[in-house]
Every structure is written in structure tokens, then in C-alpha cells.
Amino acid sequence: MKIQRIEAIPYAIPYTHPLRFASGEVHTADHVLVRVHTDAGIIGTADAPPRPYTYGETQKSIIAVVQDVFAPQLVGLEITDRAKVRAVLDRTINNQVAKGAVDIAVWDAIGQLLGISVHKLLGGYTDSLRVSHMLGFRPAQELLEEALRFGAEYGVSTFKLKVGRRPLELDVEACRVLREGLGENVEIYLDANRGWSANEAMEVLRRTEGLGLSLFEEPCDAKEAMSRRRLVDRSPIPIVADESAPTAGDAARELLSGGANAICIKTARSGFTEALEILGLCTGLGVDVTMGNQIDTQVGSLATLAFGAAFEATSRRAAELSNFLDMSDDLLADPIRIRDGRIMVRSLPGVGAEIDEEKLAFYRQDQSTTHTV
């Protein structure tokens, strides 16, 4: 079964409210749906979320590299030749989200060809993941109200608090209010999206001592190499590399240089193939991993779920799987449901992301962008 053509379809779905964090603010999901068509009629699907303020990719750049660079080299390859596909993608530097989407779409098609879920192909360790919900920039009391609502409605008991504001007391207060309002049994961890300096991050750790925070993600820019190493050495909790470690090589650099002692895996930027390499590196070195979120749609969240539930190491912690609730709509035909704080893996062949074609037609922003033989 060979790759026959590849589509890169831009679409836009508004968020229910602006999402704010240290590295940016978004109002609309301006994403790209990537579809890998085969000569047997099987179509592999994946979602590509542009994050120009983090990785430099835009909706237009993803479409261009998929259509003009990747597709001409991939058309005609056997869908099961994943190493050849990876070699083609690796010839182009950066463009991690575009590469990740193509890789996931190829895995999706392979799963459909074999009649088995990608979750099982990858490892099939467990049938569900606990959900972590992201709390963005809001007043402390509003953050607590949102967390309490997610606990009551969805059973969520792990929260990722976006920090990185100045004055520091804004976020220190949010930590205190959340801990006091949620109790000791709820997990809270931080993500500064590089918003602070290493010294500011150390001050926040000092002021929040005793609040039981579990992780601190991207407290400062990884380019602050000396200060960040000092922060990692002194921190009582793991320092997680996220946007500083989009590739296996980046993850190795951060871990071996002392710039981090935990890694966030995001399938939207690594696909499944490179995520496997990152996970192997982390388990080999004995460091924690988290499953992160690129403000993913339900299509993207299913990919995270498939990978995260496939392995013991990635299923230990709650995965960031609830951001799709911030969207006013979605392309998935059968919506994801969070029950008792967990999402169940789908047993459908491939990733299990069936697209609602009417919604795609409504939200898409072009006529089909394709490359064929």
C-alpha cells in the first residue's frame, strides 16, 4: 500500500475565551489537518497546531513544507516504510509540528491497514489516562473556581498552573489560593513558558515552599545555561524541559547538560516515531516524563492519548488532555469524554480520529491543498 497523495487543509475554530500564558495569547485555533491518502483508499489523519511564538511555525508555513517539500518525496513510498518516511522528514531542519503531523498520519494509516489501534501497535500498556487540566492567566479566585468546577464535573484532580507573570506575587498568590482551596490531595504543578529568569524562578520556589508543588516546567529560557543548571541543582522538585526539548537530540542536551531533570513529550511536535526515541532516552536515564498539550484539538488529544497510554512510564502521571474543552467546536465526529478524571483509549483501527466532514467543510479556509502522483 503506497502513499498516493497528501493533503494539508487549513481550518480555524474559535476558542470559547482568550487563552493567555507567558509566551503568548491565542483566540482561535488556526490549525492544519494533514491527511495521507493511500492507493488502497485508506486515509491517515493528524492535526498540526501552529505555535509561532514557541516554534516559529505558522499555518501557512506548515502547509508549504508539507505540500512543497515533504509530499513530493513521500508520494510513492510504501506506507509501512516508516524509516524511509522519517529519513525524508529529517532532511528538512526544524518544522517539528509539520513533521509530527505527517508521522502521526502515517502511523494512523498503518494501524488501519493492519486493523489494529496505534495504541496497541505502540505498546498497549493501559486503556486510559488520568487527565491534567491547564489553568491560564486569571485572578487567583477565578482559577480556584475553574479548578473546583473541573473537579466536580470531570473528576480531575491534577492541575497545571500557567505562571510567568510579574510581579511574582501574582503567581505565588495563585499557588497559595489553589492549595488552600483544593486541599492536599490535588496535584498542582507549574509552567512558566520561559517567562521568568532563573533567579526569579528560584525566588518563586522559595516563596512557594511547603505548598506541595510537584513539577516546574520551563521556568526560564534554556539559553540561560549557567543559571538554569544552578536552578536545577537547587530545586526541590523536577525541572521539566518542554519547548526547549522538541527533539530527541534537544532532550539529550538538556538532560546531560543539567538543564532539566524531566521531559515533556508532545506528540504534536514529535509524532510517534521521535516520541519513542525521547521516551527511550528518558527511561534509560531514569528521568520522569509528562505528556503535554499544544492546546490540541480532540484530534490531537487522541494522538497524545494513544501514545501516553501505550507505555508504563508515560501513564504514571496525569496527561494534559483537556484543552479541547476551551474550543467552541471540534472536527471529531465522536467527541472525547472525560469521566472520573480519565479518558479511555479508543479500540478503533489507527488513532481513531474520525473526522466530521460537514464540520471540516464549514471551518476550512481553502479549497483542497494537495499533492498527487
Side-chain angles (χ1 to χ4, degrees):
M1 188 173 79
K2 295 184 178 182
I3 297 174
Q4 186 179 59
R5 63 189 177 98
I6 300 177
E7 285 184 294
I9 305 170
Y11 69 93
I13 299 177
Y15 293 112
T16 57
H17 60 277
L19 304 181
R20 299 184 177 93
F21 34 90
S23 59
E25 176 179 320
V26 290
H27 298 256
T28 304
D30 297 304
H31 290 199
V32 180
L33 190 72
V34 174
R35 284 176 151 175
V36 174
H37 294 253
T38 69
D39 57 7
I42 289 175
I43 303 172
T45 302
D47 192 52
R51 297 292 174 258
Y53 43 81
T54 304
Y55 306 112
E57 291 174 274
T58 66
Q59 192 180 60
K60 289 183 178 179
S61 77
I62 289 174
I63 293 169
V65 76
V66 170
Q67 173 187 300
D68 300 335
V69 180
F70 298 154
Q73 301 175 75
L74 294 175
V75 166
L77 292 182
E78 293 285 342
I79 195 69
T80 51
D81 290 343
R82 291 188 297 104
K84 291 181 180 178
V85 171
R86 174 66 185 273
V88 167
L89 300 179
D90 281 350
R91 290 182 196 138
T92 300
I93 64 169
N94 302 322
N95 294 280
Q96 288 303 124
V97 173
K99 293 177 182 178
V102 172
D103 183 81
I104 290 171
V106 167
W107 275 87
D108 183 34
I110 293 171
Q112 293 179 58
L113 170 66
L114 299 176
I116 188 172
S117 69
V118 169
H119 164 254
K120 291 289 187 183
L121 282 176
L122 287 167
Y125 178 76
T126 185
D127 62 1
S128 67
L129 288 180
R130 289 188 297 120
V131 174
S132 169
H133 179 64
M134 184 184 80
L135 300 170
F137 284 1
R138 290 187 181 184
Q141 192 58 39
E142 290 183 17
L143 293 171
L144 176 58
E145 291 170 1
E146 182 178 351
L148 289 171
R149 178 170 64 84
F150 269 78
E153 291 185 20
Y154 302 105
V156 173
S157 60
T158 301
F159 296 93
K160 174 180 187 172
L161 176 62
K162 290 290 189 178
V163 295
R165 293 179 290 180
R166 296 184 179 92
L168 305 182
E169 185 56 32
L170 287 171
D171 291 326
V172 172
E173 179 193 12
C175 292
R176 290 198 198 102
V177 169
L178 285 171
R179 177 54 71 209
E180 290 171 3
L182 297 176
E184 295 181 358
N185 294 327
V186 169
E187 181 180 356
I188 302 169
Y189 61 106
L190 308 182
D191 180 8
N193 290 114
R194 316 177 313 280
W196 288 322
S197 68
N199 289 334
E200 287 174 316
M202 280 191 280
E203 176 64 15
V204 169
L205 284 172
R206 185 187 68 80
R207 294 193 200 179
T208 56
E209 186 178 1
L211 294 182
L213 303 176
S214 61
L215 301 165
F216 199 167
E217 186 176 302
E218 295 295 3
C220 62
D221 197 311
K223 294 177 182 177
E224 294 185 42
M226 183 177 293
S227 295
R228 180 139 156 170
R229 286 197 298 272
R230 186 172 71 253
L231 173 63
V232 172
D233 287 341
R234 296 182 181 182
S235 174
I237 57 178
I239 301 298
V240 185
D242 176 15
E243 52 262 48
S244 63
T247 70
D250 294 324
R253 180 201 64 228
E254 289 305 300
L255 292 172
L256 297 177
S257 70
N261 48 16
I263 296 291
C264 176
I265 296 175
K266 291 181 176 175
T267 56
R269 68 175 178 223
S270 64
F272 295 141
T273 302
E274 188 151 31
L276 282 167
E277 296 179 0
I278 296 171
L279 178 59
L281 172 69
C282 292
T283 55
L285 292 174
V287 299
D288 283 357
V289 294
T290 64
M291 292 305 300
N293 196 299
Q294 296 265 105
I295 320 180
D296 291 318
T297 61
Q298 294 188 42
V299 177
S301 296
L302 282 182
T304 302
L305 177 65
F307 187 90
F311 306 98
E312 190 273 336
T314 49
S315 64
R316 291 175 195 162
R317 294 184 174 274
E320 295 163 15
L321 293 168
S322 66
N323 279 145
F324 66 85
L325 294 171
D326 292 319
M327 297 184 64
S328 60
D329 203 352
D330 207 279
L331 300 182
L332 206 61
D334 180 15
I336 292 174
R337 293 169 178 81
I338 303 174
R339 293 192 176 96
D340 299 322
R342 307 185 75 90
I343 298 178
M344 298 295 296
V345 173
R346 297 187 170 180
S347 58
L348 299 172
V351 176
E354 181 184 352
I355 301 300
D356 185 319
E357 297 298 333
E358 290 186 2
K359 288 186 177 183
L360 177 59
F362 180 79
Y363 290 113
R364 68 183 296 163
Q365 297 179 295
D366 74 330
Q367 295 301 314
S368 180
T369 303
T370 67
H371 183 91
T372 189
V373 178

Coordinates of all heavy atoms in Angstrom, one line a residue, residues 152-181:
A152 N -15.4 18.8 40.1 CA -16.8 18.4 40.2 C -17.4 17.8 39.0 O -18.1 16.8 39.0 CB -17.7 19.6 40.7
E153 N -17.2 18.4 37.8 CA -17.8 18.0 36.6 C -17.1 16.8 35.9 O -17.7 15.9 35.4 CB -17.9 19.1 35.6 CG -18.8 20.2 35.9 CD -19.0 21.3 34.8 OE1 -18.6 21.0 33.7 OE2 -19.4 22.4 35.2
Y154 N -15.8 16.8 36.0 CA -15.0 15.8 35.3 C -14.2 14.8 36.2 O -13.5 13.9 35.7 CB -14.1 16.4 34.3 CG -14.8 17.3 33.3 CD1 -14.8 18.7 33.4 CD2 -15.5 16.8 32.2 CE1 -15.4 19.5 32.5 CE2 -16.2 17.6 31.3 CZ -16.1 18.9 31.5 OH -16.8 19.7 30.6
G155 N -14.1 15.1 37.5 CA -13.3 14.3 38.4 C -11.8 14.5 38.2 O -11.0 13.7 38.7
V156 N -11.4 15.7 37.7 CA -10.0 16.0 37.5 C -9.4 16.4 38.8 O -9.9 17.2 39.6 CB -9.8 17.1 36.5 CG1 -8.3 17.6 36.4 CG2 -10.3 16.7 35.1
S157 N -8.2 15.8 39.1 CA -7.5 16.1 40.4 C -6.1 16.5 40.2 O -5.3 16.5 41.2 CB -7.6 14.9 41.3 OG -7.0 13.8 40.8
T158 N -5.7 16.8 39.0 CA -4.3 17.3 38.7 C -4.5 18.6 37.8 O -5.2 18.6 36.8 CB -3.5 16.3 37.9 OG1 -3.4 15.1 38.7 CG2 -2.1 16.8 37.6
F159 N -3.7 19.6 38.2 CA -3.8 20.9 37.5 C -2.4 21.5 37.2 O -1.6 21.5 38.1 CB -4.6 21.9 38.3 CG -6.1 21.5 38.5 CD1 -6.4 20.8 39.7 CD2 -7.0 21.8 37.6 CE1 -7.7 20.4 39.8 CE2 -8.3 21.4 37.7 CZ -8.7 20.7 38.9
K160 N -2.3 21.9 36.0 CA -1.1 22.6 35.5 C -1.4 24.1 35.6 O -2.3 24.6 34.8 CB -0.7 22.2 34.1 CG 0.5 22.9 33.5 CD 0.7 22.4 32.1 CE 2.0 23.0 31.5 NZ 2.3 22.3 30.3
L161 N -0.7 24.8 36.4 CA -0.9 26.3 36.5 C 0.1 27.0 35.7 O 1.3 26.9 35.9 CB -0.7 26.7 38.0 CG -0.8 28.2 38.3 CD1 -2.2 28.7 37.9 CD2 -0.5 28.5 39.8
K162 N -0.4 27.8 34.7 CA 0.4 28.7 33.9 C 0.9 29.9 34.8 O 0.1 30.6 35.3 CB -0.3 29.2 32.7 CG -0.6 28.1 31.7 CD 0.7 27.7 31.0 CE 0.4 26.7 29.8 NZ 1.6 26.3 29.1
V163 N 2.2 30.0 34.8 CA 2.8 31.1 35.6 C 3.8 31.9 34.7 O 3.9 31.6 33.5 CB 3.5 30.6 36.9 CG1 2.5 30.0 37.8 CG2 4.6 29.6 36.5
G164 N 4.5 32.8 35.3 CA 5.5 33.6 34.5 C 5.2 35.1 34.5 O 5.8 35.9 33.7
R165 N 4.2 35.5 35.3 CA 3.8 36.9 35.4 C 4.7 37.7 36.3 O 5.4 37.2 37.2 CB 2.4 37.0 35.9 CG 1.4 36.4 34.9 CD -0.1 36.5 35.4 NE -0.3 35.7 36.5 CZ -1.5 35.6 37.2 NH1 -2.5 36.4 36.8 NH2 -1.6 34.7 38.2
R166 N 4.6 39.0 36.2 CA 5.3 39.9 37.1 C 4.3 41.0 37.5 O 3.5 41.4 36.7 CB 6.5 40.6 36.4 CG 7.6 39.7 36.0 CD 8.8 40.5 35.4 NE 9.9 39.6 35.1 CZ 10.0 39.0 33.9 NH1 9.2 39.3 32.9 NH2 11.1 38.2 33.6
P167 N 4.2 41.3 38.8 CA 5.1 40.9 39.9 C 4.9 39.4 40.2 O 3.9 38.9 40.0 CB 4.8 41.8 41.1 CG 3.3 42.2 40.8 CD 3.2 42.3 39.3
L168 N 6.0 38.8 40.8 CA 5.9 37.4 41.1 C 4.8 37.0 42.0 O 4.3 35.9 42.0 CB 7.3 36.9 41.7 CG 8.5 37.2 41.0 CD1 9.7 36.7 41.7 CD2 8.5 36.7 39.6
E169 N 4.4 37.9 42.9 CA 3.3 37.6 43.9 C 2.0 37.2 43.2 O 1.2 36.5 43.8 CB 3.1 38.9 44.8 CG 2.1 38.6 45.9 CD 2.6 37.5 46.8 OE1 3.8 37.2 47.0 OE2 1.6 36.8 47.4
L170 N 1.8 37.7 42.0 CA 0.5 37.3 41.3 C 0.4 35.7 41.2 O -0.6 35.2 41.5 CB 0.5 37.9 39.9 CG 0.2 39.4 39.7 CD1 0.5 39.8 38.3 CD2 -1.2 39.7 40.2
D171 N 1.5 35.1 40.8 CA 1.5 33.7 40.7 C 1.7 32.9 42.0 O 1.2 31.8 42.2 CB 2.5 33.2 39.6 CG 2.1 33.6 38.2 OD1 0.9 33.6 37.9 OD2 3.0 34.0 37.4
V172 N 2.5 33.6 42.9 CA 2.7 33.0 44.2 C 1.3 32.9 44.9 O 1.0 31.9 45.5 CB 3.7 33.8 45.0 CG1 3.8 33.3 46.5 CG2 5.1 33.7 44.4
E173 N 0.6 34.0 44.8 CA -0.8 34.0 45.4 C -1.6 33.0 44.8 O -2.4 32.3 45.5 CB -1.4 35.4 45.3 CG -2.8 35.5 45.9 CD -3.6 36.7 45.4 OE1 -3.1 37.4 44.5 OE2 -4.6 36.9 46.0
A174 N -1.6 32.8 43.5 CA -2.4 31.8 42.8 C -2.1 30.4 43.4 O -3.0 29.6 43.6 CB -2.2 31.8 41.3
C175 N -0.8 30.1 43.6 CA -0.4 28.8 44.2 C -1.0 28.6 45.5 O -1.5 27.6 45.9 CB 1.1 28.7 44.2 SG 2.0 28.6 42.6
R176 N -0.9 29.7 46.4 CA -1.5 29.6 47.7 C -3.0 29.3 47.7 O -3.5 28.5 48.4 CB -1.1 30.8 48.5 CG 0.3 31.1 48.8 CD 0.5 32.1 50.0 NE 1.8 32.6 50.0 CZ 2.2 33.8 49.5 NH1 1.3 34.6 49.0 NH2 3.4 34.2 49.7
V177 N -3.7 30.1 46.9 CA -5.1 30.0 46.9 C -5.6 28.7 46.4 O -6.5 28.1 46.9 CB -5.7 31.2 46.0 CG1 -7.2 30.9 45.7 CG2 -5.5 32.5 46.6
L178 N -4.9 28.2 45.3 CA -5.3 26.8 44.8 C -5.0 25.8 45.9 O -5.8 24.9 46.1 CB -4.5 26.6 43.5 CG -4.9 27.3 42.3 CD1 -3.9 27.1 41.2 CD2 -6.3 26.8 41.9
R179 N -3.9 25.8 46.5 CA -3.6 24.8 47.5 C -4.6 24.8 48.7 O -5.1 23.8 49.1 CB -2.1 24.9 48.0 CG -1.8 23.9 49.1 CD -2.0 22.5 48.7 NE -1.1 22.0 47.7 CZ -1.3 21.1 46.7 NH1 -2.5 20.6 46.7 NH2 -0.4 20.8 45.8
E180 N -4.8 26.0 49.1 CA -5.8 26.1 50.3 C -7.2 25.7 49.9 O -7.9 25.1 50.7 CB -5.8 27.6 50.8 CG -4.5 28.0 51.5 CD -4.5 29.5 51.8 OE1 -5.5 30.2 51.5 OE2 -3.4 30.0 52.3
G181 N -7.6 26.0 48.6 CA -8.9 25.7 48.2 C -9.1 24.3 47.7 O -10.2 23.8 47.8

